[in-house]
Amino acid sequence: MNRKKIRQIAFWGILPLLYSCSDSSDDQTITIYQNIVTFAGNGPVTANFSYQKINDSPVVTLGVRGSLNDERVSEGTRLLITYSLPDDAIYGEDCFDVRLRGLQTIYTDTVAPLPYSEIETLIKPIHLLTIYRTGEYINFTASMPELSGRRYILRADKETLSDDTVRTYLTTTVDEEKPSFNSTQTGSVDISPLWQLPEIKAVTIEVNNSNNPNRKKFTFVKDDKNGV
């Protein structure tokens, strides 16, 4: 393509971001998708990835011809992939002939319990852009300074673990705070240690959201197929 017209459609709390690129000379359109996925391992012909679109929607498997270096990327790793589909494929259905256009590691964590008195000392502002659940993961994007050693962590208030709704807190840490440019950062937190407990009906996530002080608490309910 020589000249591209790019249109972005962003859904609050859910990927993909959809880009349509049109060539002015041949009027061809390529649709590019982006999803947070789990590396499901290398098969005989393809490297395989799985994702869920939102909440408890079905698991979708994507295959890319070739293989990943599984010494560097182990099975179960969460990644952000950018890809296009064959003309006869449908987004949201299994496809084993995906054209990979980009792959990157993301921030990851697993929820862990702490007394609230300790959580309180960890809470830092996050310029939150999106947050949503896919299966047993909470995914988010944030615009934050690009600093070495940054981590995003989710901690559960230990005293609420026996309740039907567990309170959790999303925060960030860095080795050293210093001026830096902002970048859009993607993270995915494994909440399965909480989500698999039969007595739990919901998880709340509180964020010191510097982007929107009116959106600081998010509730994710089990068996909610329609979103937050």
Side-chain angles (χ1 to χ4, degrees), residues 11 19 28 63 69 76 79 82 87 96 111 115 126 158 162 165 208 210 212:
F11 300 90
Y19 299 84
Q28 290 182 349
N69 183 340
L79 301 162
T82 305
D87 291 341
F96 294 92
V111 66
I126 295 176
K158 202 171 182 178
S162 59
T165 299
N208 184 358
S210 59
N212 186 345

Side-chain angles (χ1 to χ4, degrees), residues 63-76:
V64 178
R65 290 186 180 277
S67 63
L68 291 190
N69 183 340
D70 51 17
E71 292 182 358
R72 297 184 61 186
V73 183
S74 59
E75 192 169 331

